Amino acid sequence: MSIEKISDPRQVRHWPGHMEADYIYTHGIAGERFFKEIKENGRITGTRCKHCNLVYVPPRIYCERCFEKLEEWIDVGTKGTIQTFTVAYVDIDGSKLKQPTTYAMIKINGTNGGLLHKIGEANLKDVKIGMQVEAVFKPKEEREGSVNDIKHFKPVK
Amino acid sequence: MEDVAIVGVGCTGFRPITPEFSYKEIMFEAATRAYADANVNPRKDIDAFITCGEDYWDGHSIFDEFVPDQLGAVLKPLFTVSADGLIGLATAYMLIRTGQFNTVMVEAHSKASDILTFTDIVAFGLDPIFNRPLGGHPYYIAGLEMTRFLHETGTTKEQCAHVVVKNRKNALANACAAYGADLTLEDVLQSEPMFYPLNRLDTSPLADGCIVLVLASNHVAKKLTDTPVWVRGVGWNSDTSWLESREWGRAIYAELAANMAYKMAGIKNPPKEIQFAEVDDLFSYKELQHLEALKLCGRGEAGKLTEEGITQRDGQMPVNVSGGALGMGYAPEVLGLQRVLEAALQLRGQAGRRQLCDVETGLAQSWRGIPTATGAVAVLSREVK
């Protein structure tokens, strides 16, 4: 009997499995219009529920509170307030990031929603809840209709 | 409608890896223990079976097709609940309350050590269009939530670290727990920063294990056992899936699940009527956020009470005497049943070295983990009412 116990499950008899699973996710009616505005006009848009007086960012075609259909689109500007933030030191594979990433939930001003994004052009020590930030878009020719058409949000000077 | 009781419990124990057993054999072991405990034969005595899990955790498409044989459930009514085990318990409760089923089994299992790309699966749970393209380790969502919770309530990182020290220590007295340890506050606060303000020791490490419960209607329960544990109330719900619409500082899903369960159980003053709680602590701050959501203390008080020792095993409101997920280990979809198992053992007086004195009513609460906002609550008692 060995006193060395197996601590790596890959050392015992096993069959390796690999799940091939590729998808495309169509943006839908709301997403199509939202990303077209970002790509072509560098504008962030939302939809408004007049019953609940709520503005949804990202936009939706329905209100999750009253379940009404939403058809009123509004330009919500590109500025927001940091609702919460974190600094990631670890990458998805568990390795240490060379450059920590600052993520934030940015409440877009005047709306009830916002965008989850990265914070850039900021001193890490200055980032705090309540800080005013604005979207920094990639140059128009590099935009492809994705959330990454916004490079990051930066502090409003 | 008949009252419903837990009449049997079975647990494999939780471990970081389980190389000698397949996931089906883990389930077989827990089921065998639960059936022996309830003194039932699954082929004759159990009317319906509920299994909780998720395809990606098991690495099977339609994993529920792979569960009947190892549970004694072949050619019997079987339900899959793609959620935490506590929602499975609520489902069993409802099945029995219909009057169509007298004895129902609930199962949840994890063989997380089979998963080579756990974080990729969690990341695959994020919105594919608005959130996933940002990349990164998905636990940064917990960092975002913790920052907001600390900000709104005035809770400190040190108070969160107290939760870790307490729960890992409680786990030392629980043979089922994978991660019992005698840590200091400094160990926690100085562990590797992962997602500010969250450190490595603030997170629950993964574990393998399975829990099976047998539930029965009043007239069957009284025949099977002298120590039934009564399910007096259950509640559950899911908040919006849009991270952009959430409150971040509060666990509203837990508040509403508790309201539903308390109403069913006739609980009017939770801190007075509930003597101990097993709550979700997948990340240290979640225990504090959940205690406040469950109204076991006021908003912003949980950190202070923890610091003062109120939630320790010998305190006025013991919380996670089992060791919680921090001590027992994060077994996806099994967390709720870990909490129920401990509550049931305590109410039966079978918790061994960690037995609490004179407990009549306890609470079990679960959260489904990142990036969900789904929670469930059960109120359990030694007496029916």
Side-chain angles (χ1 to χ4, degrees), chain A residues 36-63:
Chain A
K36 192 174 170 211
E37 285 288 350
I38 284 186
K39 186 177 177 212
E40 291 176 10
N41 306 314
R43 271 206 291 255
I44 299 173
T45 49
T47 52
R48 185 170 163 267
C49 175
K50 56 182 186 292
H51 301 276
C52 302
N53 197 24
L54 291 173
V55 176
Y56 286 96
V57 181
R60 286 174 240 175
I61 59 169
Y62 50 85
C63 175

Side-chain angles (χ1 to χ4, degrees), chain A residues 99-111:
Chain A
Q99 190 68 41
T101 311
T102 306
Y103 293 93
M105 180 55 74
I106 297 124
K107 205 96 197 147
I108 300 295
N109 293 341
T111 77

Side-chain angles (χ1 to χ4, degrees), chain A residues 7 12 25-27 34-35 58 60 64 83-92 103 105 114 116 118 129 148, chain B residues 17 119 128-130 132-137 140 143-144 147-148 151 193-196 240 242-245 248:
Chain A
S7 58
V12 294
Y25 300 97
T26 62
H27 287 180
F34 178 76
F35 287 112
R60 286 174 240 175
E64 68 176 38
Q83 185 184 8
T84 187
F85 69 96
T86 186
V87 184
Y89 295 95
V90 175
D91 206 352
I92 190 161
Y103 293 93
M105 180 55 74
L116 180 63
K118 296 170 187 172
I129 288 176
N148 287 328
Chain B
I17 62 168
T119 45
I129 295 166
F130 289 96
R132 223 188 280 164
L134 295 174
H137 192 304
Y140 74 77
L144 289 172
T147 302
R148 186 74 202 181
H151 173 80
M194 293 191 74
F195 312 98
Y196 171 85
T240 181
W242 292 84
L243 298 176
E244 297 84 351
S245 291
W248 291 94

Side-chain angles (χ1 to χ4, degrees), chain B residues 173-186:
Chain B
N174 184 353
C176 276
Y179 297 106
D182 203 358
L183 300 175
T184 65
L185 277 185
E186 284 65 39

Side-chain angles (χ1 to χ4, degrees), chain B residues 251-385:
Chain B
I252 299 176
Y253 56 86
E255 291 175 25
L256 298 182
N259 288 350
M260 181 175 164
Y262 290 156
K263 192 174 169 200
M264 210 180 284
I267 302 270
K268 299 208 165 59
N269 187 345
K272 275 228 169 101
E273 295 173 70
I274 287 165
Q275 285 111 40
F276 70 100
E278 286 281 316
V279 309
D280 174 82
D281 62 334
L282 193 48
F283 302 101
S284 59
Y285 71 93
K286 291 303 276 187
E287 174 168 313
L288 304 177
Q289 188 191 40
H290 286 146
L291 285 175
E292 294 174 8
L294 299 167
K295 298 190 184 71
L296 292 174
C297 63
R299 183 125 162 94
E301 285 176 11
K304 229 166 93 196
L305 295 180
T306 303
E307 217 167 27
E308 288 166 5
I310 306 287
T311 59
Q312 297 219 19
R313 186 150 62 90
D314 57 359
Q316 279 164 263
M317 172 61 74
V319 176
N320 286 330
V321 173
S322 63
L326 286 163
M328 289 183 79
Y330 174 23
E333 316 298 14
V334 196
L335 296 184
L337 294 192
Q338 280 182 349
R339 308 284 72 76
V340 172
L341 172 72
E342 179 68 13
L345 292 174
Q346 291 287 351
L347 293 167
R348 282 174 166 194
Q350 295 174 349
R353 279 199 287 154
R354 54 185 199 285
Q355 181 64 48
L356 301 167
C357 293
D358 301 325
V359 281
E360 290 289 333
T361 300
L363 175 143
Q365 179 258 337
S366 73
W367 169 56
R368 210 182 167 202
I370 297 288
T372 82
T374 291
V377 169
V379 176
L380 305 166
S381 282
R382 276 167 66 168
E383 303 296 331
V384 181
K385 284 272 147 40

Side-chain angles (χ1 to χ4, degrees), chain B residues 200-233:
Chain B
R200 183 170 295 282
L201 289 178
D202 286 302
T203 68
S204 298
L206 287 168
D208 297 346
C210 178
I211 292 175
V212 169
L213 305 177
V214 180
L215 280 78
S217 59
N218 191 339
H219 76 278
V220 174
K222 283 183 174 158
K223 276 184 223 159
L224 289 174
T225 177
D226 296 331
T227 54
V229 172
W230 299 97
V231 182
R232 282 180 50 199

